[in-house]
Amino acid sequence: MGRGKLRIYLGSAPGVGKTYAMLSEAHRRLERGTDVVVGFVESHRRPRTEVMLHGLEQIPRREIEYRGSVFTEMDVDAVLARHPKIALVDELAHTNVPGCRNEKRWQDVEELLAAGIDVVSTVNIQHLESLGDVVENITGVRQRETVPDEIVRKADQIELVDMSPQALRRRMAHGNVYGPDRIDAALSNYFRPGNLTALRELALLWVADRVDEYLREYRSEHHIRATWQARERIVVGVTGGPEGRTLIRRAARLATKGSGGEILAVYISRSDGLSTASPKELAVQRSLVEDLGGTFHQVVGDDVPEALLEFARGANATQIVLGSSRRKAWQYVFGPGVGATVARDSGPDLDVHIVTHEEAAKGRGLPVARGARLGRGRILAGWLAGLAGPGLLALLLTTAGEGFGFANTVLVFLTMTVVAAMLGGMLPALGSAAWGSLLLNYYFAEPTGTLTIADPENIVAIAVFFAVAASVASVVHLAARRTQQAARLRAEAETLSFLAGSVLRGDTSLESLLEQVRVTFAMDSVALYERTADPEGWTCAAVVGSAQPACPEDADVDLPAGEGRALALTGRKLPASDRRVLGAFAAQAAVVLDRRRLEEEAGEARKLAEGNRIRTALLAAVSHDLRTPLAAIKAAVTSLRSDDVEWSPADEAELLESIDFSADRLDALVGNLLDMSRLQTGTVTPLLRPVGLDEVVPRALAGVPEDSVVLDIPESLPLVVTDPGLLERSVANVVENAVKYSPPGERVMVRGSALGDRVELRVLDQGPGVPEADKERIFEPFQRSGDVPRGAGVGLGLAVARGFAEAMGGTLVAEDTPGGGLTMVLTMDAAA
C-alpha cells in the first residue's frame, strides 16, 4: 500500500474561501464516484460553508473533556477504520486539545497519508513556521499555531486561494466571515488594507518560489538542459565599461514587453582575481539593475562566452543582451569576439541581442594600473644580494676546493640571481646575472684566473646561465609587480566602492567624507576651500584634522574640486598614482557641499513658505473666525445693557448663555492658536509616565454633549507611556472634530484596543468621510473640509492633535470607517 497524496489550499488570509474551495473540490470528486469523507471541517457558523457540507459523509468527531469543558477533535482512529479514498481535514496548523494522540493536526494528517489515504487540507500563509516573525511585524499578532514549512512544501499539490483586500473587507462587512460583534474589531486591527496586502504578497511570493522549485526539480530529474520559456528571463552581459548602463536599460525595456519579465546582470571575472573593470562603474550598474527590479551576479570564468552561456542556461534564461564589441577592426584577427561566439553557441533556445552603443569600435581603452615603485630599502637589498651574494658564493666555493662541479656552481649562482630579482626587481637581477657570469668565468671555467674560456661547453653553460637568469628574473619581477599592482588596485577598488556606496545611499556628510580622505591617505588634515570674490581670497568650507593650512597653496597636496574650489591636504607629499583616487574624493566633496547647501536653502525656503502661509491663514482667522465669537459677545452684552428694552428672565438667560458659549469658542480658538505656536517653535516638552486611558479619555469628553459619544475602554488595556495633559488635549480635539461632522442622531464611537506592544484609541464617526487624497492634508494647519461654514473653527484642531501625539512618541492617522465615515487612530506605546 503506497503513501497517500496531500493537496493543500493555501490562503493569503482568513476568510478568502479555502474551506469553501476544498468542499467544492470534494463535491466534484464525489460526482465522479470517488469515496470522499469529511474528517474534520470547521464552518465557523458561516452559512455558505455549512451548505457545502450537505451531501458529504462526515466522520463523527471525538469528544474530549479538558479543564471542565468539552472539545471536539478529529477522530483519527475512525477515519483510519473507514479508510476512504479521500479525507477532508481543515486547518492543518491546528493544535489539538491535550489528551489527543498527537499534539498537532498535521501529525494526524501524516498518519492518514501513511495509511494510503489521500488528504485535502487548508492552511493560511501566516501559519507557516518560517514566516512567524514576518507576520508579527506586519500585523502585530504572534501566531501561536504553526506548521513546519517542510510539511507544506512536500505536498503533492498546492493551490493558492486569493482575494483582493478590498473584496475581503467587503465580505467581512457583509457578515460572511465573522459575526456582527467581531466585524468592527477585525476590520480595525488585523484586517487592515495594508496588513492584507502584505499577507497577500507573502503568499504569492511563497507559491511562486514553490513553482520555481517544482520546475527546477523536474528539469533536473529529466536532465533537461534546454530553456523553457515559462517567462522572460533576460541575462545582460556587462564588462564594467560605460556601455553597461545602456545595455541594462535596453534589457529592462525588453522585460516590460512581457508579463513577469526578469533581468539578471552578470559580470564575468577572471579566475586569477585580476580585473581591469572599474569597480565604481560596476557599483553604479549594480545599483541601476536593482532599481529596475533585477539582480546582479558575478561569475568567475576564464572563457567568457562559455561562462556566460552556462549562467544563462542555469538560470533558465530566454534572452541574452550584449553590447557591440569595443574592439577595433584589426583586433578581430585574434578571434571573432564574445558577442559572435555567444550568438554562434547559444542554440535555438536562447535569443541573443547585440545592442549598439557609443563606445562600439572605439577600442577597449581599459586602464592598465601601474604598480607603485619598490621601496628604496628593497632596491638596496636587491643590489646587495645581487652583487655581494655571488662574491661570497665565489669565496666559499673556491675555499671549499674542487669537487663541487661546474654545473652545480651555475645553479647556485642562478639561485642568488632569483633572490636579487625577488628583492630588488629587474635591474638588480640583471646586474647579479652579469656579475655572476664574470665570477663563473674567472674562478670556475678553465683556465681559471683569466677571462678566457678554453672549453666550448663552459662558454655555452655561462651563456645559458645568463639567459636563464635574465628570463627567471624577468618572470619573477613581472609576478611581483603584478601582485603589487593587484593589491593596489584592490585597495583602490575597495576605497572607490565604499565611496560609491556612500554616495548612492546619501549618508555621507562633508565632514565624514573629509575624515575618510584623511584616514585613507594618512594625512594630518584635510580641508575644502572655496574662492571668494577676491582673486587671492579663500574661505574654508569644512576641515578635519589638527593642522589647517591658510590656503590651498600652503598645503602639501592641493587638488581642484570643481570651479572655484580646492581640496587641500597636509602631512606628506602624495605620489601621482594616488591622485587618481583623490580626484574622485575631491569631486564627491564638491557634490556633497552643493547638496548640503541646497538642502539648507530648501529648508529655509520651506520655513519661509510655511511661515507666510500660516501668517496669511492667521490673518484670515483673526479677521473672521476670532471676530465672530467676539461679535456675538459684544451684541449680547450691548443688549443686556440697553435701557430701551426690558428683557424677561428667559431672554436674559439666553443672552448670558450666548455670551458663555461664545467665550468658550473664543477660548478654544485662542488655545489652539497658542498650541500651534508652541508646536511651531518646538517648545512642547512632554512629561511621559504610565497612564491608563480610562483615566484620561473621559476627561477629554467634557467639551461635547453627553449623548454624542459611546465610550468603550476595556479595563484590561495596558497602561500607555504618555503625557496626560497633552493626551487629553489631543483626544479632545479629535472627538470634537468627529462630533462636528457626525450626522444628527449618530453617535461617535471611542474604542481602545491593544495590538502587540502598542495601544490604539480609535474615534469612529459616520460622517461624510474624507477622500483618500486628502487624508494627510486634513492634518495641516488651517485646513477645513470644503463644506464647513466659516466661523466653525480655524482648522487647527487636528494639526494640534497630531503634533501633540508625535511629541509624545505616538502617531495619529486617518482611515475609512466601514460603512462610511472617518476613523481617527491614535497609537501609543504600551508601558512595560
Side-chain angles (χ1 to χ4, degrees):
M1 181 176 57
R3 179 181 173 85
K5 294 183 178 181
L6 176 61
R7 177 172 183 170
I8 292 179
Y9 285 92
L10 178 66
S12 56
V16 295
K18 304 178 304 301
T19 304
Y20 190 92
M22 178 180 69
L23 295 174
S24 299
E25 176 65 19
H27 280 286
R28 286 193 293 271
R29 298 286 187 93
L30 191 63
E31 291 173 358
R32 294 199 295 265
T34 307
D35 184 15
V36 182
V37 301
V38 176
F40 187 98
V41 169
E42 185 59 66
S43 65
H44 296 288
R45 298 182 180 179
R46 297 168 187 169
R48 296 186 178 182
T49 304
E50 292 178 348
V51 169
M52 292 296 295
L53 284 170
H54 296 166
L56 296 175
E57 178 185 351
Q58 300 186 45
I59 302 295
R61 300 184 183 183
R62 179 187 175 191
E63 294 185 352
I64 300 175
E65 185 175 351
Y66 178 68
R67 292 184 178 179
S69 300
V70 177
F71 299 89
T72 60
E73 297 287 359
M74 181 175 67
D75 193 338
V76 180
D77 292 328
V79 178
L80 291 173
R82 171 64 174 76
H83 204 282
K85 174 62 179 175
I86 299 176
L88 308 183
V89 182
D90 204 5
E91 298 181 355
L92 187 63
H94 172 74
T95 301
N96 293 327
V97 175
C100 296
R101 59 201 282 173
N102 294 314
E103 180 184 357
K104 291 285 191 175
R105 184 164 294 162
W106 62 264
Q107 295 170 328
D108 297 337
V109 170
E110 284 292 306
E111 285 195 40
L112 300 182
L113 294 172
I117 301 174
D118 294 345
V119 176
V120 182
S121 187
T122 65
V123 70
N124 284 325
I125 190 67
Q126 69 266 24
H127 292 296
L128 294 182
E129 199 168 75
S130 65
L131 301 178
D133 294 339
V134 179
V135 173
E136 184 178 10
N137 290 334
I138 293 172
T139 64
V141 178
R142 182 68 179 182
Q143 298 294 334
R144 302 188 182 279
E145 293 189 332
T146 60
V147 58
D149 289 45
E150 184 61 26
I151 299 299
V152 182
R153 283 188 179 278
K154 70 181 183 181
D156 299 276
Q157 187 174 350
I158 299 175
E159 183 170 334
L160 178 65
V161 182
D162 186 29
M163 180 177 289
S164 70
Q166 295 78 11
L168 180 55
R169 285 173 62 85
R170 283 196 301 270
R171 175 182 284 186
M172 294 196 65
H174 295 158
N176 294 331
V177 179
Y178 293 145
D181 57 328
R182 299 176 58 189
I183 293 177
D184 286 343
L187 290 174
S188 302
N189 292 284
Y190 193 90
F191 289 83
R192 298 177 182 175
N195 291 356
L196 296 178
T197 302
L199 292 174
R200 187 185 192 194
E201 183 179 14
L202 272 180
L204 291 171
L205 291 174
W206 195 91
V207 173
D209 288 343
R210 184 60 180 138
V211 171
D212 284 343
E213 185 178 338
Y214 275 134
L215 186 59
R216 286 194 300 269
E217 291 176 357
Y218 184 85
R219 286 166 55 87
S220 176
E221 290 173 0
H222 293 78
H223 307 287
I224 298 173
R225 295 279 297 165
T227 299
W228 284 7
Q229 300 182 359
R231 60 173 171 169
E232 293 294 339
R233 281 191 175 94
I234 304 175
V235 170
V236 187
V238 296
T239 63
E243 76 282 357
R245 307 183 200 182
T246 302
L247 303 183
I248 292 169
R249 294 190 179 97
R250 176 60 175 160
R253 291 196 296 271
L254 289 173
T256 57
K257 294 181 179 180
S259 178
E262 184 179 356
I263 309 172
L264 300 91
V266 58
Y267 169 70
I268 311 294
S269 60
R270 294 176 58 86
S271 59
D272 57 11
L274 298 178
S275 171
T276 52
S278 168
K280 181 178 180 180
E281 183 63 27
L282 284 177
V284 171
Q285 292 176 15
R286 176 191 292 269
S287 177
L288 177 61
V289 169
E290 293 173 351
D291 290 342
L292 293 173
T295 56
F296 189 92
H297 307 267
Q298 187 164 343
V299 177
V300 177
D302 293 323
D303 189 335
V304 175
E306 181 181 353
L308 186 62
L309 288 171
E310 187 70 21
F311 174 84
R313 293 193 175 101
N316 197 28
T318 58
Q319 301 182 54
I320 298 178
V321 175
L322 300 173
S324 298
S325 178
R326 287 182 289 163
R327 297 192 301 174
K328 294 184 179 295
W330 62 268
Q331 292 177 311
Y332 281 96
V333 299
F334 299 107
V338 173
T341 305
V342 170
R344 181 192 65 200
D345 299 338
S346 61
D349 55 341
L350 272 173
D351 297 334
V352 180
H353 302 264
I354 305 296
V355 178
T356 186
H357 50 84
E358 295 180 354
E359 303 297 323
K362 290 185 177 179
R364 290 190 177 274
L366 297 176
V368 178
R370 296 180 179 177
R373 295 183 180 275
L374 295 175
R376 182 176 298 177
R378 285 192 59 179
I379 294 177
L380 290 176
W383 280 111
L384 181 63
L387 298 180
L392 292 175
L393 284 176
L395 179 62
L396 291 173
L397 292 176
T398 54
T399 304
E402 300 293 335
F404 197 72
F406 188 74
N408 293 332
T409 303
V410 171
L411 291 177
V412 173
F413 274 79
L414 181 61
T415 303
M416 188 55 63
T417 302
V418 172
V419 172
M422 295 179 66
L423 289 176
M426 176 66 74
L427 291 179
L430 292 178
S432 176
W435 176 233
S437 299
L438 291 175
L439 292 176
L440 285 171
N441 184 0
Y442 190 83
Y443 287 105
F444 302 102
E446 296 293 339
T448 60
T450 66
L451 295 179
T452 60
I453 303 175
D455 189 352
E457 293 182 0
N458 291 342
I459 297 176
V460 174
I462 292 177
V464 171
F465 162 75
F466 186 83
V468 171
S471 301
V472 171
S474 175
V475 172
V476 172
H477 173 75
L478 181 61
R481 292 292 289 267
R482 283 290 178 87
T483 302
Q484 193 174 18
Q485 291 171 9
R488 175 168 183 82
L489 287 175
R490 183 172 63 251
E492 290 185 5
E494 291 175 354
T495 301
L496 292 174
S497 176
F498 179 79
L499 176 63
S502 300
V503 173
L504 294 174
R505 292 190 300 269
D507 58 358
T508 302
S509 64
L510 183 57
E511 287 73 16
S512 64
L513 181 63
L514 296 183
E515 178 64 21
Q516 184 182 346
V517 175
R518 191 186 71 81
V519 173
T520 300
F521 296 97
M523 305 300 286
D524 294 334
S525 68
V526 181
L528 181 64
Y529 287 90
E530 287 186 295
R531 188 180 295 277
T532 59
D534 184 0
E536 301 298 328
W538 290 92
T539 60
C540 182
V543 62
V544 295
S546 55
Q548 176 187 350
C551 62
E553 290 78 6
D554 297 338
D556 295 317
V557 180
D558 68 287
L559 197 70
E563 185 176 356
R565 291 173 180 161
L567 192 66
L569 297 85
T570 59
R572 63 185 179 92
K573 297 293 185 181
L574 289 180
S577 56
D578 284 342
R579 296 177 72 89
R580 178 177 56 189
V581 179
L582 185 60
F585 278 101
Q588 181 55 28
V591 171
V592 172
L593 179 60
D594 289 337
R595 184 174 61 196
R596 184 172 72 178
R597 289 184 174 169
L598 288 174
E599 290 174 353
E600 292 174 355
E601 292 175 3
E604 292 296 329
R606 283 194 298 269
K607 290 181 181 178
L608 291 174
E610 182 68 13
N612 289 333
R613 191 178 69 82
I614 291 178
R615 279 193 292 273
T616 302
L618 182 58
L619 288 174
V622 171
S623 64
H624 188 281
D625 294 293
L626 294 180
R627 293 178 61 185
T628 300
L630 283 174
I633 293 173
K634 177 65 176 176
V637 171
T638 302
S639 299
L640 289 174
R641 295 186 61 187
S642 175
D643 297 332
D644 299 338
V645 180
E646 183 176 349
W647 303 100
S648 65
D651 293 334
E652 290 183 359
E654 185 177 352
L655 291 173
L656 291 174
E657 183 180 359
S658 175
I659 294 173
D660 183 62
F661 176 74
S662 298
D664 288 341
R665 280 187 54 199
L666 185 61
D667 179 67
L669 292 173
V670 172
N672 277 334
L673 288 171
L674 293 176
D675 289 338
M676 199 65 220
S677 175
R678 293 167 59 200
L679 290 170
Q680 292 287 336
T681 56
T683 57
V684 176
T685 305
L687 302 176
L688 303 179
R689 62 182 178 87
V691 178
L693 287 182
D694 53 351
E695 301 176 13
V696 179
V697 176
R699 295 199 303 265
L701 306 182
V704 297
E706 294 183 2
D707 59 346
S708 62
V709 177
V710 176
L711 191 60
D712 181 14
I713 306 294
E715 296 180 358
S716 59
L717 278 183
L719 302 180
V720 295
V721 180
T722 186
D723 183 311
L726 297 183
L727 178 60
E728 180 181 340
R729 189 60 179 271
S730 182
V731 174
N733 284 1
V734 172
V735 173
E736 289 174 6
N737 185 79
V739 171
K740 181 194 307 182
Y741 287 96
S742 291
E746 294 287 345
R747 296 197 293 176
V748 173
M749 171 68 74
V750 180
R751 177 184 296 133
S753 60
L755 189 64
D757 58 351
R758 297 169 296 171
V759 175
E760 290 186 349
L761 186 69
R762 309 179 75 86
V763 180
L764 301 86
D765 67 61
Q766 303 294 327
V770 175
E772 189 66 32
D774 295 337
K775 281 191 172 62
E776 283 299 313
R777 191 177 63 85
I778 61 176
F779 292 104
E780 297 178 6
F782 303 104
Q783 297 293 329
R784 295 181 295 185
S785 183
D787 59 352
V788 177
R790 299 290 296 177
V794 294
L796 287 176
L798 294 181
V800 170
R802 171 174 274 191
F804 283 170
E806 292 177 349
M808 295 181 292
T811 59
L812 179 63
V813 297
E815 296 180 356
D816 291 329
T817 301
L822 190 68
T823 298
M824 291 291 179
V825 184
L826 178 61
T827 305
M828 296 152 287
D829 291 331

